[in-house]
Amino acid sequence: MHTIQIVVDGDACPVKHEIGVVARAFRIPVLMVSSYDHFIQAEEGVQTVQVDRSDQSADIYIANHIRRGDVVATQDYGLAALALSKGCHAISFRGQSYNSENIEFMLDRRHHQAKARRRGSYGKGPKPITQEDKIFFQQKLTKLLQGLQENV
C-alpha cells in the first residue's frame, strides 16, 4: 500500500513553512519540487528535488512521481487537473480545493485570460498572499489530511 505524500510545486510556493508544519503533525512526507532558479531549504520531513528551468519541468516531474491518494499543492490549474485525473487531491496555496466540479471552469477561465493577454489586455494579477491566507491554507490542509486519515 502506498503511503500518501504531499507533493508541492515549489517554485512560487508562499506556504512552504505551513506545509512543513502540517505534514510533520500528521507524519506525512513532503516532496518539494522546484527549478534550479529557486532555492528551497530542506527541513525535517521535506525532501527537495530541483529540476531544470525549462517551462514545464517541475510539472512533468510531479506528474511522474504522484500516485493515487497523494496531495498536490499548486497554483497551476493544468497540474491540478492532471493530479485529479490520477486520483490525487489538489489544493491551491490559498486553500482552495480543486475538484471535478470546479477544475473545468478554472481551466476555461485560464484559457480566456490567456487569449485576452495575447490581445494586450492585462489584469492586475493575483493579490499577494497575506498572513490570514497562510492561516486559512494551513487550516484547509489540516482538514483535508484529517479527512484522509478518517477514510483509511
Side-chain angles (χ1 to χ4, degrees):
M1 186 171 137
H2 169 64
T3 302
I4 70 164
Q5 64 181 341
I6 301 172
V7 182
V8 183
D9 185 358
D11 279 348
C13 179
V15 289
K16 294 176 182 102
H17 173 75
E18 290 75 9
I19 291 170
V21 168
V22 173
R24 282 188 293 280
F26 282 88
R27 292 191 166 103
I28 295 175
V30 175
L31 175 62
M32 190 113 13
V33 182
S34 71
S35 71
Y36 288 111
D37 292 335
H38 297 86
F39 176 75
I40 296 179
Q41 182 70 41
E43 55 185 73
E44 180 188 343
V46 178
Q47 175 189 356
T48 61
V49 172
Q50 290 194 287
V51 296
D52 68 56
R53 58 180 57 98
S54 64
D55 189 29
Q56 298 293 316
S57 293
D59 293 355
I60 291 167
Y61 185 92
I62 290 169
N64 288 327
H65 289 83
I66 55 176
R67 295 178 53 194
R68 177 173 292 284
D70 285 347
V71 175
V72 177
T74 184
Q75 287 300 113
D76 184 307
Y77 298 154
L79 179 58
L82 195 144
L84 291 172
S85 75
K86 291 184 101 176
C88 297
H89 307 275
I91 187 170
S92 78
F93 300 142
R94 293 183 186 271
Q96 179 181 16
S97 290
Y98 300 110
N99 56 53
S100 59
E101 287 82 42
N102 65 14
I103 196 66
E104 278 192 48
F105 169 76
M106 292 175 175
L107 289 168
D108 190 51
R109 186 176 68 190
R110 179 183 72 170
H111 172 71
H112 288 289
Q113 289 170 337
K115 282 175 44 177
R117 282 191 301 276
R118 284 192 296 274
R119 289 191 310 269
S121 175
Y122 294 92
K124 293 181 181 180
K127 292 185 270 186
I129 293 207
T130 65
Q131 189 59 37
E132 291 79 22
D133 293 330
K134 291 179 180 186
I135 292 167
F136 182 76
F137 169 82
Q138 197 167 356
Q139 291 169 340
K140 288 296 192 175
L141 181 59
T142 299
K143 187 174 181 179
L144 172 61
L145 295 176
Q146 285 171 337
L148 293 176
Q149 277 189 340
E150 290 169 3
N151 292 327
V152 173

